[in-house]
Amino acid sequence: MGSDDKLQKYRDKRDFRRTPEPQGGGGSSSEKPVFVLQKHDASRLHYDLRLEMDGVLKSWAVPKGPSTDPSQKRLAVPTEDHPLEYADFEGVIPQDEYGGGVMIVWDKGTYRNLQADKDDSRSMAESYEDGHIEIWLEGEKLSGGYALIRTGKEDDSRWLLIKMKDDRADARRNPTSTEPKSVLSGRTLEEVREQAADEGSEES
Ligand code: MN
Protein backbone atom coordinates (compact mmCIF):
# COMPACT_ATOMS: atom_id res chain seq x y z
CA MET A 1 0.00 0.00 0.00
CA GLY A 2 1.48 3.36 -1.05
CA SER A 3 1.62 6.31 1.33
CA ASP A 4 -1.17 8.04 -0.67
CA ASP A 5 -3.59 5.17 0.08
CA LYS A 6 -2.53 5.11 3.73
CA LEU A 7 -3.29 8.85 4.04
CA GLN A 8 -6.88 8.54 2.73
CA LYS A 9 -8.34 8.42 6.25
CA TYR A 10 -6.25 11.46 7.27
CA ARG A 11 -7.46 13.44 4.23
CA ASP A 12 -11.10 12.35 4.58
CA LYS A 13 -11.21 13.83 8.08
CA ARG A 14 -9.94 17.27 7.05
CA ASP A 15 -10.97 20.22 4.90
CA PHE A 16 -7.66 21.68 3.70
CA ARG A 17 -9.31 24.99 2.77
CA ARG A 18 -9.93 25.46 6.50
CA THR A 19 -7.09 23.81 8.38
CA PRO A 20 -3.42 24.85 8.21
CA GLU A 21 -2.38 21.19 8.61
CA PRO A 22 -0.28 19.73 5.76
CA GLN A 23 -2.06 17.77 3.02
CA GLY A 24 0.87 15.40 2.60
CA GLY A 25 2.24 13.71 -0.46
CA GLY A 26 5.57 15.52 -0.55
CA GLY A 27 7.62 14.57 2.39
CA SER A 28 11.23 13.61 2.55
CA SER A 29 12.56 10.47 4.11
CA SER A 30 15.88 10.98 5.79
CA GLU A 31 18.39 8.24 6.41
CA LYS A 32 17.23 7.74 9.99
CA PRO A 33 13.50 7.54 10.61
CA VAL A 34 11.91 10.42 12.51
CA PHE A 35 9.88 10.38 15.70
CA VAL A 36 7.86 13.28 17.01
CA LEU A 37 5.74 13.98 20.08
CA GLN A 38 3.24 16.77 19.55
CA LYS A 39 1.50 18.36 22.50
CA HIS A 40 -2.11 18.87 21.43
CA ASP A 41 -4.67 20.86 23.35
CA ALA A 42 -7.87 19.54 21.78
CA SER A 43 -11.08 18.77 23.68
CA ARG A 44 -8.64 17.05 26.02
CA LEU A 45 -4.94 17.77 26.34
CA HIS A 46 -2.84 14.87 25.06
CA TYR A 47 0.41 14.07 23.30
CA ASP A 48 0.53 12.58 19.79
CA LEU A 49 3.38 10.11 19.29
CA ARG A 50 4.30 9.62 15.64
CA LEU A 51 6.90 7.25 14.17
CA GLU A 52 8.07 7.36 10.56
CA MET A 53 7.31 3.97 9.02
CA ASP A 54 7.15 3.14 5.28
CA GLY A 55 6.50 6.69 4.09
CA VAL A 56 3.95 7.82 6.68
CA LEU A 57 3.85 8.72 10.37
CA LYS A 58 2.24 5.92 12.39
CA SER A 59 0.37 7.72 15.19
CA TRP A 60 -0.89 7.20 18.72
CA ALA A 61 -2.63 9.61 21.10
CA VAL A 62 -1.05 9.42 24.56
CA PRO A 63 -3.37 11.12 27.08
CA LYS A 64 -0.78 11.49 29.85
CA GLY A 65 2.23 11.88 27.59
CA PRO A 66 5.49 9.94 27.79
CA SER A 67 7.29 9.12 31.02
CA THR A 68 11.00 8.62 31.70
CA ASP A 69 10.09 6.24 34.56
CA PRO A 70 9.97 2.52 33.55
CA SER A 71 7.31 1.84 36.20
CA GLN A 72 4.85 4.21 34.48
CA LYS A 73 2.84 2.57 31.71
CA ARG A 74 1.15 5.16 29.53
CA LEU A 75 -1.97 4.42 27.48
CA ALA A 76 -1.45 5.00 23.73
CA VAL A 77 -4.49 4.89 21.44
CA PRO A 78 -3.79 4.43 17.70
CA THR A 79 -4.96 7.21 15.38
CA GLU A 80 -4.82 7.55 11.58
CA ASP A 81 -1.52 7.64 9.68
CA HIS A 82 -0.25 11.20 9.17
CA PRO A 83 1.93 12.59 6.33
CA LEU A 84 5.67 12.95 6.96
CA GLU A 85 5.41 16.77 6.78
CA TYR A 86 3.20 16.67 9.87
CA ALA A 87 6.31 16.16 12.03
CA ASP A 88 7.02 19.92 11.73
CA PHE A 89 3.46 21.14 12.16
CA GLU A 90 2.50 23.48 14.95
CA GLY A 91 -0.32 25.96 15.00
CA VAL A 92 -4.02 26.39 15.55
CA ILE A 93 -6.44 23.90 14.00
CA PRO A 94 -10.01 25.24 13.56
CA GLN A 95 -12.37 23.88 16.20
CA ASP A 96 -14.76 22.39 13.68
CA GLU A 97 -11.97 20.35 12.12
CA TYR A 98 -11.31 16.84 13.39
CA GLY A 99 -8.96 17.05 16.37
CA GLY A 100 -9.08 20.86 16.42
CA GLY A 101 -7.13 22.87 18.95
CA VAL A 102 -3.55 24.07 19.41
CA MET A 103 -0.46 21.97 18.68
CA ILE A 104 3.28 22.30 19.27
CA VAL A 105 6.20 20.02 18.49
CA TRP A 106 7.06 19.04 22.06
CA ASP A 107 9.94 16.74 21.10
CA LYS A 108 11.46 15.53 17.87
CA GLY A 109 14.40 13.42 16.78
CA THR A 110 15.31 10.14 15.17
CA TYR A 111 14.79 6.58 16.27
CA ARG A 112 16.31 3.15 15.76
CA ASN A 113 14.43 -0.15 15.63
CA LEU A 114 15.94 -2.17 18.49
CA GLN A 115 14.38 -5.39 17.23
CA ALA A 116 16.28 -5.13 13.95
CA ASP A 117 19.44 -5.72 16.03
CA LYS A 118 18.13 -8.97 17.46
CA ASP A 119 18.28 -12.46 15.92
CA ASP A 120 14.82 -12.22 14.39
CA SER A 121 15.75 -8.89 12.70
CA ARG A 122 12.15 -7.76 12.59
CA SER A 123 11.22 -4.71 10.50
CA MET A 124 9.17 -1.91 12.07
CA ALA A 125 6.18 -2.97 9.94
CA GLU A 126 6.43 -6.51 11.34
CA SER A 127 6.81 -5.20 14.88
CA TYR A 128 3.74 -3.02 14.36
CA GLU A 129 1.72 -6.00 13.07
CA ASP A 130 2.88 -8.08 16.03
CA GLY A 131 1.89 -5.29 18.44
CA HIS A 132 5.35 -5.18 20.00
CA ILE A 133 7.68 -2.32 19.09
CA GLU A 134 11.01 -1.55 20.75
CA ILE A 135 12.82 1.59 19.67
CA TRP A 136 15.75 3.74 20.76
CA LEU A 137 14.89 7.47 20.70
CA GLU A 138 17.34 10.30 20.17
CA GLY A 139 15.26 13.38 20.88
CA GLU A 140 15.98 16.64 22.67
CA LYS A 141 13.90 15.72 25.72
CA LEU A 142 13.45 11.97 25.41
CA SER A 143 16.16 9.43 24.74
CA GLY A 144 16.80 5.74 25.23
CA GLY A 145 14.67 2.67 24.78
CA TYR A 146 10.88 2.78 24.65
CA ALA A 147 8.48 -0.11 24.12
CA LEU A 148 5.01 0.09 22.57
CA ILE A 149 2.94 -2.96 23.45
CA ARG A 150 -0.53 -3.69 22.06
CA THR A 151 -2.84 -4.99 24.77
CA GLY A 152 -5.38 -6.73 22.50
CA LYS A 153 -5.46 -8.44 19.12
CA GLU A 154 -7.75 -6.14 17.12
CA ASP A 155 -6.26 -3.36 15.01
CA ASP A 156 -8.02 -0.64 17.00
CA SER A 157 -7.10 -1.90 20.45
CA ARG A 158 -5.05 -0.01 22.98
CA TRP A 159 -1.30 0.09 23.33
CA LEU A 160 0.97 0.92 26.25
CA LEU A 161 4.02 3.20 25.95
CA ILE A 162 6.71 2.16 28.44
CA LYS A 163 10.22 3.48 29.10
CA MET A 164 12.66 0.58 28.98
CA LYS A 165 15.20 0.07 31.74
CA ASP A 166 18.49 1.59 30.57
CA ASP A 167 20.86 4.41 31.51
CA ARG A 168 18.40 7.01 30.12
CA ALA A 169 15.62 5.91 32.48
CA ASP A 170 15.01 8.40 35.30
CA ALA A 171 12.07 8.15 37.71
CA ARG A 172 12.72 11.68 39.04
CA ARG A 173 12.50 13.50 35.71
CA ASN A 174 9.10 14.72 34.63
CA PRO A 175 9.74 16.46 31.30
CA THR A 176 6.06 16.90 30.37
CA SER A 177 5.71 19.35 33.28
CA THR A 178 9.25 20.80 33.56
CA GLU A 179 9.93 21.23 29.81
CA PRO A 180 6.67 22.48 28.26
CA LYS A 181 8.08 24.40 25.26
CA SER A 182 8.26 23.50 21.59
CA VAL A 183 11.65 22.19 20.43
CA LEU A 184 11.06 23.91 17.06
CA SER A 185 9.99 27.42 18.08
CA GLY A 186 10.59 27.62 21.83
CA ARG A 187 6.92 28.54 22.29
CA THR A 188 4.39 27.12 24.73
CA LEU A 189 0.90 26.07 23.62
CA GLU A 190 -0.46 29.27 25.18
CA GLU A 191 2.02 31.43 23.22
CA VAL A 192 1.04 29.75 19.94
CA ARG A 193 -2.63 30.33 20.77
CA GLU A 194 -2.05 34.00 21.64
CA GLN A 195 0.06 34.66 18.54
CA ALA A 196 -2.61 33.16 16.30
CA ALA A 197 -5.27 35.30 18.00
CA ASP A 198 -3.13 38.45 17.50
CA GLU A 199 -2.57 37.67 13.82
CA GLY A 200 -6.27 37.00 13.37
CA SER A 201 -7.25 40.38 14.85
CA GLU A 202 -4.70 42.20 12.65
CA GLU A 203 -6.30 40.78 9.53
CA SER A 204 -9.82 41.89 10.37
MN1 MN B 1 -4.08 14.79 18.70
Side-chain angles (χ1 to χ4, degrees), residues 3 6-7 10 33-36 38 49-60 79-89 111:
S3 63
K6 291 180 189 167
L7 293 174
Y10 171 85
V34 164
F35 88 91
V36 65
Q38 281 157 317
L49 169 64
R50 311 190 199 279
L51 303 178
E52 179 181 348
M53 223 183 284
D54 298 332
V56 294
L57 295 172
K58 286 283 171 197
S59 299
W60 293 261
T79 58
E80 75 273 21
D81 295 348
H82 280 52
L84 295 180
E85 299 99 301
Y86 210 94
D88 291 318
F89 175 74
Y111 77 86

mmCIF file of all heavy atoms in Angstrom, residues 3 6-7 10 33-36 38 49-60 79-89 111:
data_model
loop_
_atom_site.group_PDB
_atom_site.id
_atom_site.type_symbol
_atom_site.label_atom_id
_atom_site.label_comp_id
_atom_site.label_asym_id
_atom_site.label_seq_id
_atom_site.Cartn_x
_atom_site.Cartn_y
_atom_site.Cartn_z
ATOM 1 N N SER A 3 1.920 5.367 0.255
ATOM 2 C CA SER A 3 1.616 6.305 1.327
ATOM 3 C C SER A 3 0.362 7.115 0.999
ATOM 4 O O SER A 3 -0.352 7.559 1.881
ATOM 5 C CB SER A 3 2.811 7.216 1.600
ATOM 6 O OG SER A 3 3.108 7.994 0.479
ATOM 7 N N LYS A 6 -2.537 5.125 2.269
ATOM 8 C CA LYS A 6 -2.526 5.115 3.731
ATOM 9 C C LYS A 6 -3.054 6.434 4.300
ATOM 10 O O LYS A 6 -3.538 6.479 5.414
ATOM 11 C CB LYS A 6 -1.101 4.894 4.249
ATOM 12 C CG LYS A 6 -0.553 3.508 3.995
ATOM 13 C CD LYS A 6 0.861 3.419 4.549
ATOM 14 C CE LYS A 6 1.547 2.136 4.151
ATOM 15 N NZ LYS A 6 2.988 2.200 4.433
ATOM 16 N N LEU A 7 -2.898 7.524 3.529
ATOM 17 C CA LEU A 7 -3.293 8.847 4.042
ATOM 18 C C LEU A 7 -4.753 9.192 3.732
ATOM 19 O O LEU A 7 -5.209 10.281 4.056
ATOM 20 C CB LEU A 7 -2.363 9.920 3.464
ATOM 21 C CG LEU A 7 -0.918 9.828 3.958
ATOM 22 C CD1 LEU A 7 -0.033 10.824 3.222
ATOM 23 C CD2 LEU A 7 -0.836 10.053 5.469
ATOM 24 N N TYR A 10 -6.708 10.148 6.811
ATOM 25 C CA TYR A 10 -6.253 11.462 7.267
ATOM 26 C C TYR A 10 -6.917 12.565 6.441
ATOM 27 O O TYR A 10 -7.429 13.539 6.983
ATOM 28 C CB TYR A 10 -4.726 11.521 7.142
ATOM 29 C CG TYR A 10 -4.115 12.883 7.372
ATOM 30 C CD1 TYR A 10 -3.816 13.312 8.668
ATOM 31 C CD2 TYR A 10 -3.833 13.738 6.315
ATOM 32 C CE1 TYR A 10 -3.238 14.558 8.873
ATOM 33 C CE2 TYR A 10 -3.265 14.981 6.520
ATOM 34 C CZ TYR A 10 -2.968 15.387 7.804
ATOM 35 O OH TYR A 10 -2.407 16.612 8.007
ATOM 36 N N PRO A 33 14.911 7.194 10.480
ATOM 37 C CA PRO A 33 13.502 7.540 10.610
ATOM 38 C C PRO A 33 13.256 8.514 11.761
ATOM 39 O O PRO A 33 13.971 8.533 12.764
ATOM 40 C CB PRO A 33 12.823 6.192 10.864
ATOM 41 C CG PRO A 33 13.888 5.308 11.380
ATOM 42 C CD PRO A 33 15.176 5.786 10.780
ATOM 43 N N VAL A 34 12.234 9.333 11.588
ATOM 44 C CA VAL A 34 11.912 10.419 12.513
ATOM 45 C C VAL A 34 10.863 9.964 13.523
ATOM 46 O O VAL A 34 9.995 9.170 13.210
ATOM 47 C CB VAL A 34 11.376 11.626 11.701
ATOM 48 C CG1 VAL A 34 10.666 12.633 12.582
ATOM 49 C CG2 VAL A 34 12.501 12.280 10.926
ATOM 50 N N PHE A 35 10.992 10.473 14.750
ATOM 51 C CA PHE A 35 9.878 10.378 15.696
ATOM 52 C C PHE A 35 9.529 11.792 16.125
ATOM 53 O O PHE A 35 10.375 12.694 16.110
ATOM 54 C CB PHE A 35 10.209 9.515 16.927
ATOM 55 C CG PHE A 35 10.859 10.268 18.059
ATOM 56 C CD1 PHE A 35 10.090 10.854 19.057
ATOM 57 C CD2 PHE A 35 12.241 10.415 18.122
ATOM 58 C CE1 PHE A 35 10.679 11.575 20.102
ATOM 59 C CE2 PHE A 35 12.846 11.122 19.155
ATOM 60 C CZ PHE A 35 12.064 11.704 20.143
ATOM 61 N N VAL A 36 8.271 11.988 16.485
ATOM 62 C CA VAL A 36 7.856 13.282 17.011
ATOM 63 C C VAL A 36 6.802 13.058 18.092
ATOM 64 O O VAL A 36 6.061 12.067 18.056
ATOM 65 C CB VAL A 36 7.321 14.194 15.873
ATOM 66 C CG1 VAL A 36 6.060 13.634 15.249
ATOM 67 C CG2 VAL A 36 7.083 15.615 16.358
ATOM 68 N N GLN A 38 3.898 15.478 19.626
ATOM 69 C CA GLN A 38 3.244 16.774 19.554
ATOM 70 C C GLN A 38 2.307 16.929 20.738
ATOM 71 O O GLN A 38 1.547 16.013 21.057
ATOM 72 C CB GLN A 38 2.504 16.908 18.214
ATOM 73 C CG GLN A 38 3.481 17.262 17.096
ATOM 74 C CD GLN A 38 3.019 16.907 15.711
ATOM 75 O OE1 GLN A 38 2.488 15.824 15.503
ATOM 76 N NE2 GLN A 38 3.257 17.792 14.753
ATOM 77 N N LEU A 49 2.106 10.752 19.641
ATOM 78 C CA LEU A 49 3.377 10.111 19.292
ATOM 79 C C LEU A 49 3.295 9.654 17.846
ATOM 80 O O LEU A 49 2.325 8.993 17.456
ATOM 81 C CB LEU A 49 3.622 8.900 20.204
ATOM 82 C CG LEU A 49 4.790 7.972 19.801
ATOM 83 C CD1 LEU A 49 6.133 8.695 19.872
ATOM 84 C CD2 LEU A 49 4.810 6.723 20.689
ATOM 85 N N ARG A 50 4.288 10.025 17.039
ATOM 86 C CA ARG A 50 4.301 9.616 15.638
ATOM 87 C C ARG A 50 5.676 9.057 15.279
ATOM 88 O O ARG A 50 6.706 9.649 15.609
ATOM 89 C CB ARG A 50 3.970 10.799 14.725
ATOM 90 C CG ARG A 50 2.721 11.560 15.167
ATOM 91 C CD ARG A 50 2.265 12.572 14.129
ATOM 92 N NE ARG A 50 1.384 13.573 14.731
ATOM 93 C CZ ARG A 50 0.086 13.392 14.962
ATOM 94 N NH1 ARG A 50 -0.480 12.247 14.666
ATOM 95 N NH2 ARG A 50 -0.644 14.351 15.513
ATOM 96 N N LEU A 51 5.672 7.914 14.595
ATOM 97 C CA LEU A 51 6.902 7.249 14.170
ATOM 98 C C LEU A 51 6.889 7.089 12.657
ATOM 99 O O LEU A 51 5.928 6.553 12.098
ATOM 100 C CB LEU A 51 7.002 5.845 14.801
ATOM 101 C CG LEU A 51 6.959 5.726 16.324
ATOM 102 C CD1 LEU A 51 7.021 4.248 16.712
ATOM 103 C CD2 LEU A 51 8.120 6.495 16.953
ATOM 104 N N GLU A 52 7.961 7.541 12.010
ATOM 105 C CA GLU A 52 8.074 7.358 10.565
ATOM 106 C C GLU A 52 8.216 5.868 10.252
ATOM 107 O O GLU A 52 9.084 5.186 10.798
ATOM 108 C CB GLU A 52 9.297 8.111 10.032
ATOM 109 C CG GLU A 52 9.459 7.933 8.532
ATOM 110 C CD GLU A 52 10.688 8.647 7.974
ATOM 111 O OE1 GLU A 52 11.305 9.459 8.686
ATOM 112 O OE2 GLU A 52 11.031 8.366 6.811
ATOM 113 N N MET A 53 7.313 5.387 9.389
ATOM 114 C CA MET A 53 7.311 3.973 9.025
ATOM 115 C C MET A 53 6.789 3.852 7.597
ATOM 116 O O MET A 53 5.653 4.242 7.333
ATOM 117 C CB MET A 53 6.377 3.217 9.990
ATOM 118 C CG MET A 53 6.903 1.894 10.498
ATOM 119 S SD MET A 53 5.643 1.107 11.553
ATOM 120 C CE MET A 53 5.803 2.058 13.059
ATOM 121 N N ASP A 54 7.587 3.381 6.670
ATOM 122 C CA ASP A 54 7.152 3.138 5.282
ATOM 123 C C ASP A 54 6.431 4.338 4.672
ATOM 124 O O ASP A 54 5.357 4.203 4.084
ATOM 125 C CB ASP A 54 6.245 1.895 5.222
ATOM 126 C CG ASP A 54 6.981 0.633 5.666
ATOM 127 O OD1 ASP A 54 8.216 0.584 5.501
ATOM 128 O OD2 ASP A 54 6.327 -0.285 6.200
ATOM 129 N N GLY A 55 7.004 5.522 4.802
ATOM 130 C CA GLY A 55 6.504 6.690 4.088
ATOM 131 C C GLY A 55 5.399 7.481 4.743
ATOM 132 O O GLY A 55 4.910 8.461 4.181
ATOM 133 N N VAL A 56 4.961 7.053 5.933
ATOM 134 C CA VAL A 56 3.951 7.820 6.683
ATOM 135 C C VAL A 56 4.380 7.900 8.149
ATOM 136 O O VAL A 56 5.355 7.273 8.560
ATOM 137 C CB VAL A 56 2.541 7.181 6.605
ATOM 138 C CG1 VAL A 56 1.996 7.228 5.185
ATOM 139 C CG2 VAL A 56 2.544 5.756 7.139
ATOM 140 N N LEU A 57 3.633 8.685 8.927
ATOM 141 C CA LEU A 57 3.847 8.724 10.371
ATOM 142 C C LEU A 57 2.760 7.884 11.043
ATOM 143 O O LEU A 57 1.590 8.269 11.057
ATOM 144 C CB LEU A 57 3.792 10.167 10.890
ATOM 145 C CG LEU A 57 4.885 11.123 10.394
ATOM 146 C CD1 LEU A 57 4.578 12.553 10.853
ATOM 147 C CD2 LEU A 57 6.266 10.703 10.899
ATOM 148 N N LYS A 58 3.156 6.720 11.576
ATOM 149 C CA LYS A 58 2.236 5.925 12.390
ATOM 150 C C LYS A 58 1.974 6.729 13.664
ATOM 151 O O LYS A 58 2.913 7.291 14.245
ATOM 152 C CB LYS A 58 2.861 4.574 12.741
ATOM 153 C CG LYS A 58 2.902 3.613 11.578
ATOM 154 C CD LYS A 58 1.523 3.016 11.363
ATOM 155 C CE LYS A 58 1.468 2.206 10.069
ATOM 156 N NZ LYS A 58 0.070 1.963 9.660
ATOM 157 N N SER A 59 0.722 6.775 14.129
ATOM 158 C CA SER A 59 0.375 7.723 15.188
ATOM 159 C C SER A 59 -0.424 7.096 16.314
ATOM 160 O O SER A 59 -1.238 6.193 16.082
ATOM 161 C CB SER A 59 -0.438 8.875 14.583
ATOM 162 O OG SER A 59 0.304 9.563 13.594
ATOM 163 N N TRP A 60 -0.151 7.587 17.527
ATOM 164 C CA TRP A 60 -0.890 7.199 18.722
ATOM 165 C C TRP A 60 -1.168 8.462 19.543
ATOM 166 O O TRP A 60 -0.305 9.329 19.659
ATOM 167 C CB TRP A 60 -0.059 6.280 19.618
ATOM 168 C CG TRP A 60 0.257 4.919 19.100
ATOM 169 C CD1 TRP A 60 -0.381 3.752 19.414
ATOM 170 C CD2 TRP A 60 1.331 4.533 18.214
ATOM 171 N NE1 TRP A 60 0.225 2.677 18.780
ATOM 172 C CE2 TRP A 60 1.273 3.134 18.034
ATOM 173 C CE3 TRP A 60 2.341 5.249 17.547
ATOM 174 C CZ2 TRP A 60 2.170 2.429 17.231
ATOM 175 C CZ3 TRP A 60 3.229 4.554 16.737
ATOM 176 C CH2 TRP A 60 3.134 3.159 16.587
ATOM 177 N N THR A 79 -4.159 6.296 16.202
ATOM 178 C CA THR A 79 -4.959 7.212 15.379
ATOM 179 C C THR A 79 -4.510 7.026 13.930
ATOM 180 O O THR A 79 -3.642 6.206 13.654
ATOM 181 C CB THR A 79 -4.796 8.674 15.834
ATOM 182 O OG1 THR A 79 -3.414 9.028 15.764
ATOM 183 C CG2 THR A 79 -5.279 8.855 17.262
ATOM 184 N N GLU A 80 -5.109 7.777 13.000
ATOM 185 C CA GLU A 80 -4.824 7.553 11.583
ATOM 186 C C GLU A 80 -3.387 7.939 11.232
ATOM 187 O O GLU A 80 -2.797 8.799 11.873
ATOM 188 C CB GLU A 80 -5.829 8.313 10.711
ATOM 189 C CG GLU A 80 -5.625 9.816 10.619
ATOM 190 C CD GLU A 80 -6.326 10.583 11.740
ATOM 191 O OE1 GLU A 80 -6.627 9.991 12.791
ATOM 192 O OE2 GLU A 80 -6.548 11.796 11.543
ATOM 193 N N ASP A 81 -2.840 7.288 10.184
ATOM 194 C CA ASP A 81 -1.519 7.644 9.676
ATOM 195 C C ASP A 81 -1.507 9.109 9.262
ATOM 196 O O ASP A 81 -2.473 9.605 8.679
ATOM 197 C CB ASP A 81 -1.165 6.793 8.446
ATOM 198 C CG ASP A 81 -1.026 5.307 8.781
ATOM 199 O OD1 ASP A 81 -0.978 4.959 9.983
ATOM 200 O OD2 ASP A 81 -0.953 4.503 7.834
ATOM 201 N N HIS A 82 -0.402 9.795 9.541
ATOM 202 C CA HIS A 82 -0.253 11.197 9.168
ATOM 203 C C HIS A 82 0.887 11.334 8.148
ATOM 204 O O HIS A 82 1.810 10.515 8.139
ATOM 205 C CB HIS A 82 0.051 12.049 10.412
ATOM 206 C CG HIS A 82 -1.160 12.390 11.223
ATOM 207 N ND1 HIS A 82 -2.062 11.446 11.659
ATOM 208 C CD2 HIS A 82 -1.631 13.592 11.670
ATOM 209 C CE1 HIS A 82 -3.032 12.047 12.344
ATOM 210 N NE2 HIS A 82 -2.799 13.352 12.357
ATOM 211 N N PRO A 83 0.844 12.394 7.297
ATOM 212 C CA PRO A 83 1.927 12.592 6.328
ATOM 213 C C PRO A 83 3.237 12.970 7.023
ATOM 214 O O PRO A 83 3.225 13.541 8.115
ATOM 215 C CB PRO A 83 1.422 13.742 5.446
ATOM 216 C CG PRO A 83 0.367 14.424 6.248
ATOM 217 C CD PRO A 83 -0.224 13.400 7.167
ATOM 218 N N LEU A 84 4.352 12.668 6.359
ATOM 219 C CA LEU A 84 5.668 12.950 6.962
ATOM 220 C C LEU A 84 5.832 14.422 7.328
ATOM 221 O O LEU A 84 6.439 14.756 8.344
ATOM 222 C CB LEU A 84 6.789 12.541 5.992
ATOM 223 C CG LEU A 84 6.918 11.053 5.678
ATOM 224 C CD1 LEU A 84 8.080 10.829 4.704
ATOM 225 C CD2 LEU A 84 7.126 10.235 6.956
ATOM 226 N N GLU A 85 5.261 15.328 6.508
ATOM 227 C CA GLU A 85 5.409 16.771 6.778
ATOM 228 C C GLU A 85 4.784 17.167 8.108
ATOM 229 O O GLU A 85 5.087 18.230 8.647
ATOM 230 C CB GLU A 85 4.739 17.610 5.677
ATOM 231 C CG GLU A 85 5.310 17.414 4.301
ATOM 232 C CD GLU A 85 4.449 16.449 3.498
ATOM 233 O OE1 GLU A 85 4.287 15.292 3.950
ATOM 234 O OE2 GLU A 85 3.961 16.844 2.437
ATOM 235 N N TYR A 86 3.889 16.326 8.629
ATOM 236 C CA TYR A 86 3.204 16.672 9.874
ATOM 237 C C TYR A 86 4.170 16.789 11.043
ATOM 238 O O TYR A 86 3.890 17.445 12.048
ATOM 239 C CB TYR A 86 2.111 15.644 10.195
ATOM 240 C CG TYR A 86 0.949 16.233 10.957
ATOM 241 C CD1 TYR A 86 -0.172 16.699 10.283
ATOM 242 C CD2 TYR A 86 0.988 16.350 12.340
ATOM 243 C CE1 TYR A 86 -1.227 17.267 10.972
ATOM 244 C CE2 TYR A 86 -0.069 16.920 13.038
ATOM 245 C CZ TYR A 86 -1.166 17.378 12.343
ATOM 246 O OH TYR A 86 -2.205 17.950 13.028
ATOM 247 N N ALA A 87 5.338 16.153 10.932
ATOM 248 C CA ALA A 87 6.305 16.160 12.035
ATOM 249 C C ALA A 87 6.774 17.576 12.382
ATOM 250 O O ALA A 87 7.279 17.796 13.483
ATOM 251 C CB ALA A 87 7.501 15.286 11.682
ATOM 252 N N ASP A 88 6.611 18.535 11.460
ATOM 253 C CA ASP A 88 7.023 19.919 11.727
ATOM 254 C C ASP A 88 5.836 20.842 11.925
ATOM 255 O O ASP A 88 5.993 22.058 11.951
ATOM 256 C CB ASP A 88 7.878 20.451 10.571
ATOM 257 C CG ASP A 88 9.226 19.757 10.508
ATOM 258 O OD1 ASP A 88 9.833 19.549 11.580
ATOM 259 O OD2 ASP A 88 9.665 19.413 9.391
ATOM 260 N N PHE A 89 4.641 20.279 12.059
ATOM 261 C CA PHE A 89 3.459 21.143 12.163
ATOM 262 C C PHE A 89 3.223 21.623 13.588
ATOM 263 O O PHE A 89 3.155 20.847 14.533
ATOM 264 C CB PHE A 89 2.198 20.417 11.671
ATOM 265 C CG PHE A 89 0.954 21.231 11.887
ATOM 266 C CD1 PHE A 89 0.686 22.323 11.077
ATOM 267 C CD2 PHE A 89 0.098 20.965 12.950
ATOM 268 C CE1 PHE A 89 -0.434 23.118 11.297
ATOM 269 C CE2 PHE A 89 -1.027 21.744 13.182
ATOM 270 C CZ PHE A 89 -1.284 22.825 12.343
ATOM 271 N N TYR A 111 14.855 7.791 15.463
ATOM 272 C CA TYR A 111 14.787 6.580 16.268
ATOM 273 C C TYR A 111 15.434 5.408 15.538
ATOM 274 O O TYR A 111 15.645 5.452 14.314
ATOM 275 C CB TYR A 111 13.334 6.236 16.651
ATOM 276 C CG TYR A 111 12.504 5.611 15.548
ATOM 277 C CD1 TYR A 111 12.530 4.241 15.332
ATOM 278 C CD2 TYR A 111 11.698 6.389 14.738
ATOM 279 C CE1 TYR A 111 11.766 3.656 14.324
ATOM 280 C CE2 TYR A 111 10.934 5.815 13.733
ATOM 281 C CZ TYR A 111 10.976 4.451 13.527
ATOM 282 O OH TYR A 111 10.231 3.881 12.532
#
